[in-house]
Amino acid sequence: MRTLLDLKTGEKAIVKKITGYSLIHRRLLDMGIVSGTCVQLVKSAPLGDPLEFKIKGYHLSLRKSEASTVEIM
Amino acid sequence: MKWEYMSNKIKVALAGNPNSGKTTLFNALTGSRQHVGNYPGVTVERKETKCKYNGIEITVVDLPGIYSLTPYSIEELVARNFIFQEKPDVIIDVIDSSNLERNLYLAIQFIELDVPLLLVFNMIDEAISKGYHIDIKLLSRLLNTPVVTTVASKGEGIDDIFKTVVALAGNRNQASSSIIKYGKEIDSQINILSDYLLNKNIMNGKYAFKWLAIKLLEEDSEIIQEINKNCDNSEEILSLSSKCRDYLQSFFGEKPERIIGDKRYGFINGLCKETVYLAQEDRISTSEKIDSVLTNRILGIPIFILFMWIVFQLTFTLGNPPMRLIEFCIGSLGRFIAFFMNDGILRSLIVDGVIGGVGGVLVFLPNILLLFLALAVLEDTGYMARVAFIVDKLMHFIGLHGKSFIPLLIGFGCSVPAILGTRTIENRKDRIITILVVPFMSCGARLPVYTLLIGAFFSSAVAGNVLFSIYITGFLLAILMAGIFKKFLFPGESTPFVMELPPYRIPTLKSVIIHMWEHTWLYLQKAGTILLSLSILIWFLTNFPQNITYSKDYENNIKSARENFVINMEPLAQKLNVSIEDIDKNEDIKKIIENLKTLKQSEDAVKQGELLKYQYGELYNLSVNYMELQNYIAGQMEEKQREKLGVSYAGRMGKVLEPFISPLGFDWKIGVALFSGFAAKEVIVSTLGTIYSLEEADENSISLREALKKDKIFSPLVAYTLMIFILIYSPCIATIVVVWKETNSYFWPLFMIFYTICLAWILAFFIYQGGRLLGLN
């Protein structure tokens, strides 16, 4: 299973689904991480975590633990 | 839904995503008066303003910035409840035109509410320069909702908003919810549910039935709770809704709320494909270029440290001169009034109580203004989100959010602005934990106390290490307590760090100034009044009771000493041709006494004294006698003051407290000092000064150090224990009041006082008793 964590800097991928149903996942959905959306890893923070993604034309930052719950194709 | 509407008054709710320019738009709409407060029961800030348009009074309420209408964040719940409870005539949804997809996600949820809605496409200029071409007319038609484009920062399009709002409010039959399609399967279940709800007229149509049906399918906890509470047939409703959910679940193999969210974005995606044209997809924007430097792997952290250093210096170093000026003005005012009043209780109340209290409120003003200036700039430029981005790993490690960093940093200067600064943390849990540990960041007011005690009991060789150990103890305690609070006070999953990194923008002067002023005003208004009354209370406790029977007749002692002096010295004075009544005006005697006073502190005092004696002859004898009289009078006055403090309510409390603090090596005198430290930590120094009968003592005062050293109760161990105690125990009144106002509850400030005192006691106990066991006393 490939997740957002497997992306290299600058790489793009299509979201397959979010695994999990807690508050965090509800929030991810509201922020536009839905199946079929294109996500690009822009960079990681200077200390390595969190990560910055580009999605639907804006920039979103997620912790690694959160990014790992988003499955990509 | 029923919407009450009167032709000359309109109530408008201003909603939108964070970073959509909502606040800028609010400021652009703003009339003469803004009212800032909190939504009842929560800490979410509520801003309201009234403006006039063609003789119609329009009240605009600024809702918190939100991304969705779920019940899972306080802000979203507040926005939702506001709409249902206060029934605004029109909702304005502010949309960032260059971030349409995500912004429209909220917009279509508003459309489903079937309320008069106006979509404001803000920052349209930015979208155009980024290469977006939006067919506004088509979009408006497809959504069956009016759309206005604006550039709020330049005031463009504001008139259109007013015009459309007035038209919308007059014509409230907007029902566009049928526009949004979720696909055949979901729509059919929505219809089944909403038809049922409509037939039974559930909750008298407080909620639009289609919206209610969707919320039931999404298993919205708040709505289910409300149905359980208000509907007799709640079981029937919920069993029907779970049947619909089960059907969808088996059809899609996924939870309905997930599918509904997907479909919403799908709908928006289709909408944008039809109406938005982007010239160049993968262009790197200026903002992205700036960001590649500011959050750069190597440069990111040094730049961050530089910015934080600037924020701290701006707040405290630049704030210091105006702070001193305020102190000076308050002091002068006190002396000015004292000059015109007779010595007595009223003068003491006005000078020490009221003016001192006002001073205590105003003295924080420069710091607060400057901190909020810095915060406003960081927030409006978009760097604040990067601060959180850069330090989140560090802060997450200690159980806090990246945004807690700035308040903690500011805490080293002063807890009051630091706690006000926690407003930037959206999540309530994180905000409260940050507030609870901010006082462990040893503030500037505690430094004089450390300086005094370290100066008195530690050699200059170890002074630096001792001071550092105090600061580091506070820092470690903050980490430890944050972890404990996170685990026991707010158990459950940690706050998601799903945070937008908005594009960098140049802040407008107006919005920065408004931001700065609003928060300062809030402080003055809320904290100021309470703070003033509490300072008067502390003044009362340290000055009352007034009619004390002293153990000695100090006045009489002074009087007879004076008489004796006159009798004994009269002949000598006459011989020297000095008037004994005007002896204090004699220049030579003044000079000799001055010389004698400086002598005391130098090495070869005896030799120098002989020299003076030789120089002035008999005048020297007269001077010495007069100086002794002066010293005696001062001593009597000070002793009286000390006795007065001893029997004052504060002194009595100190004595009552003594059994509790004696295991820490403290006596009642320290108890009184600690009590006075509740007013402000630096007051501990002046209280110790009063107790040890020294006028005008400050932290560098050599005599106060000597007095402390002479007192048997003190030792380096007790001094260190005391410093640790002062570091931890109850924050000052100003902090407590700000915590009260910011958390909007009595519980948190009381909890804060309680747990810090307990923690201070426990730690001090172990240090003192442990030190004694090791033979350090």
Side-chain angles (χ1 to χ4, degrees), chain B residues 591-610:
Chain B
K591 209 152 99 195
I592 295 168
I593 290 177
E594 241 165 65
N595 274 322
L596 281 170
K597 276 184 178 162
T598 51
L599 278 188
K600 270 189 178 172
Q601 283 159 18
S602 63
E603 293 285 311
D604 45 359
V606 185
K607 216 167 94 190
Q608 300 249 348
E610 291 297 324

Side-chain angles (χ1 to χ4, degrees), chain B residues 246-258:
Chain B
D246 289 346
Y247 172 78
L248 292 175
Q249 170 100 37
S250 65
F251 188 87
F252 289 102
E254 181 61 282
K255 292 204 173 186
E257 61 266 32
R258 183 75 45 92

Side-chain angles (χ1 to χ4, degrees), chain B residues 404-541:
Chain B
S404 308
F405 185 85
I406 291 183
L408 291 181
L409 175 78
I410 294 300
F412 281 114
C414 175
S415 298
V416 172
I419 284 162
L420 292 173
T422 60
R423 279 174 177 252
T424 52
I425 307 167
E426 289 96 7
N427 184 279
R428 182 172 163 85
K429 284 186 205 175
D430 286 328
R431 192 168 171 215
I432 289 191
I433 295 176
T434 310
I435 287 175
L436 289 178
V437 301
V438 155
F440 292 134
M441 304 291 129
S442 196
C443 72
R446 278 173 263 196
L447 191 59
V449 192
Y450 303 150
T451 314
L452 170 71
L453 290 170
I454 291 175
F457 296 101
F458 295 92
S459 74
S460 54
V462 294
N465 293 340
V466 172
L467 188 63
F468 184 71
S469 76
I470 301 278
Y471 274 83
I472 212 78
T473 305
F475 186 70
L476 293 176
L477 272 176
I479 294 176
L480 181 77
M481 292 317 289
I484 291 175
F485 290 146
K486 189 108 196 164
K487 194 155 182 208
F488 294 103
L489 281 182
F490 301 104
E493 64 182 310
S494 73
T495 329
F497 187 77
V498 180
M499 187 185 70
E500 185 183 359
L501 294 169
Y504 290 100
R505 295 193 175 111
I506 298 166
T508 63
L509 189 65
K510 187 178 172 185
S511 86
V512 167
I513 287 174
I514 287 178
H515 185 104
M516 188 167 94
W517 173 243
E518 256 171 25
H519 288 89
T520 311
W521 177 239
L522 220 57
Y523 161 76
L524 279 182
Q525 203 183 2
K526 291 183 150 186
T529 43
I530 302 159
L531 203 51
L532 178 59
S533 19
L534 286 177
S535 338
I536 293 175
L537 179 71
I538 289 198
W539 166 84
F540 174 79
L541 290 176

Side-chain angles (χ1 to χ4, degrees), chain B residues 133-175:
Chain B
H133 178 81
I134 308 166
D135 190 339
I136 301 285
K137 268 189 191 151
L138 182 61
L139 198 87
S140 169
R141 209 177 68 221
L142 290 174
L143 289 174
N144 193 25
T145 305
V147 178
V148 166
T149 59
T150 57
V151 184
S153 58
K154 293 177 190 154
E156 287 170 24
I158 303 300
D159 209 54
D160 291 343
I161 293 180
F162 282 127
K163 224 183 282 172
T164 323
V165 162
V166 172
L168 271 175
N171 173 27
R172 269 164 289 120
N173 301 319
Q174 187 174 351

